[in-house]
Amino acid sequence: MNVEENDDLYGILAEKNIKFVQLGLFKKFETWYGTAVYFNSENKKLGFYDETQMKPGQQGNGYGRGSKIIKGKTVKKKKMTNKALSSLNDHALSNIQLKSNPKTSDNQFWLDTLYVCEYCFKYTDVKDDFVNHVHQCSFKEKAPGRIKYKSPQYTIRRVKGSKHQLFCQCLCLFTKLYLDNKSVFFKLDHYEFYIVYETGKTIPMAFFSKDLVSYNQNNLACILTLPPYQRMGLGSLLIEFSYHLSRLEGIVSGPELPLSPFGLIGYLRYWSLVICWQLCEGDLSNFERLSIQDISLATGIRISDIIPTLKHLNCIIDENHINLKVLKQWLKTHTKPGQNPFMINEEYLLIDD
């Protein structure tokens, strides 16, 4: 199994190389994509970090692709003392590796099971150390970041890559097992992460990242709903939330392109909902003549995203007319009468900076 020539920096592989992920103590599922970023590229052993990413006086627990790669610390299988447990909590579980080669179920896999903490995304291939860590992970009691949205059902926290570097790095590494894209995973100072939690709990369920120095002012770089929490509408919740952030910033924005196939499905649904609602029920419903620019300003959606959405809805009669009957039928099919079709309630927004 070889890394594609142009994909080496991102660790993209043509085939899966980790068979299972155990997320927390009770959730185990297969991976979707292969990635080399968890491993030492020379011997395919789990766990390395890059000393060039460390700041002066800082312990080596960062990730990267610099010139000096250092192998992770070997941990013997024995009962750990309280002092050892404390040390394990302070350093990345990802620095741990076995003396022997990673277990594989057949020649395809470099590792049979990757154990990932569901609170902080630190990882190891040593089950006993994983269990010890999960019971005393610091993020089990208090999740990182600041609350930016809190409804009775869901809480969204903003986590800055510059402040919680290791947490964000480990989250990005995990993402590579379930998204086939060239997302970054080491230099995250200019990224923010918006993470969904069930209100009152500290287990991440879904997230999106945002590049703060995006030339195109994108409001979203990468989005993922973790496998155990899919089909709950969390992707739609985050997409909608990202547009609320853009409106508060006073900009018309959208996601970084290209979108993944699943991402495109989610965005087409959101764009269709907002456009249909605005033209049939919202502020634009009383206008007889509108421009694409008017629709863009009212919805916060880029013109370059509105046009393909209208084509997707098959509502364009000619170059200058939209068939409102088609849009009304779409709303009737995809929403419930008398019910707000949107997930974000502005009453619960806590945006103060």
Side-chain angles (χ1 to χ4, degrees), residues 4 6 10 41 89 126 129 156-158 171 229-230:
E4 296 291 337
N6 295 330
Y10 304 96
S41 59
N89 191 44
V126 184
D129 297 330
I156 300 177
R157 288 178 170 270
R158 183 191 67 193
L171 176 59
Y229 310 108
Q230 293 179 356

Side-chain angles (χ1 to χ4, degrees), residues 170-280:
C170 290
L171 176 59
C172 289
L173 290 179
F174 180 85
T175 300
K176 288 182 171 292
L177 298 172
Y178 296 97
L179 286 181
D180 184 22
N181 64 18
K182 295 183 177 180
S183 57
V184 298
F185 63 95
F186 45 100
K187 295 182 179 179
L188 301 174
D189 287 351
H190 299 296
Y191 282 83
E192 291 180 342
F193 296 79
Y194 291 87
I195 305 174
V196 179
Y197 297 82
E198 188 176 346
T199 295
K201 298 187 178 181
T202 57
I203 299 175
M205 304 169 72
F207 82 96
F208 75 84
S209 60
K210 180 180 179 181
D211 186 353
L212 299 178
V213 292
S214 169
Y215 176 78
N216 295 317
Q217 292 187 310
N218 298 319
N219 61 14
L220 184 148
C222 176
I223 183 170
L224 175 70
T225 300
L226 277 59
Y229 310 108
Q230 293 179 356
R231 301 185 182 277
M232 296 173 60
L234 298 180
S236 298
L237 176 75
L238 286 174
I239 290 172
E240 188 177 332
F241 180 77
S242 71
Y243 278 94
H244 274 276
L245 292 180
S246 297
R247 291 191 194 99
L248 291 170
E249 295 172 7
I251 62 173
V252 173
S253 187
E256 182 180 307
L257 300 176
L259 293 169
S260 68
F262 287 112
L264 180 59
I265 291 172
Y267 269 97
L268 279 175
R269 174 172 173 76
Y270 174 76
W271 292 332
S272 298
L273 173 61
V274 175
I275 292 171
C276 289
W277 180 264
Q278 277 289 350
L279 291 175
C280 299

Side-chain angles (χ1 to χ4, degrees), residues 38-168:
Y38 278 105
F39 299 88
N40 183 313
S41 59
E42 295 181 358
N43 56 24
K44 298 181 182 179
K45 288 185 177 181
L46 182 71
F48 65 84
Y49 63 88
D50 183 358
E51 192 176 50
T52 64
Q53 296 295 322
M54 292 187 291
K55 298 177 182 178
Q58 186 181 41
Q59 294 293 323
N61 57 9
Y63 299 88
R65 288 288 179 126
S67 59
K68 189 173 182 181
I69 302 298
I70 301 177
K71 294 181 181 179
K73 180 180 178 182
T74 299
V75 176
K76 295 181 180 179
K77 288 189 174 181
K78 63 180 182 179
K79 187 174 181 180
M80 301 184 73
T81 63
N82 290 335
K83 183 177 180 180
L85 284 174
S86 177
S87 176
L88 181 62
N89 191 44
D90 291 339
H91 295 77
L93 278 173
S94 48
N95 289 345
I96 300 172
Q97 67 179 49
L98 292 173
K99 287 184 177 180
S100 59
N101 289 329
K103 296 179 181 179
T104 55
S105 57
D106 53 47
N107 292 332
Q108 174 185 346
F109 296 106
W110 302 2
L111 185 66
D112 182 76
T113 302
L114 181 71
Y115 299 96
V116 180
C117 176
E118 63 183 338
Y119 302 104
C120 70
F121 295 96
K122 293 177 183 178
Y123 58 90
T124 183
D125 52 4
V126 184
K127 185 175 182 179
D128 291 344
D129 297 330
F130 162 72
V131 172
N132 287 335
H133 167 82
V134 169
H135 286 308
Q136 48 85 60
C137 177
S138 60
F139 289 147
K140 183 177 181 180
E141 298 299 324
K142 180 176 174 56
R146 297 185 63 180
I147 295 175
K148 294 300 174 182
Y149 180 82
K150 187 175 183 180
S151 73
Q153 188 173 11
Y154 296 119
T155 295
I156 300 177
R157 288 178 170 270
R158 183 191 67 193
V159 181
K160 293 185 177 182
S162 58
K163 186 173 183 180
H164 296 280
Q165 185 181 51
L166 182 58
F167 174 87
C168 296

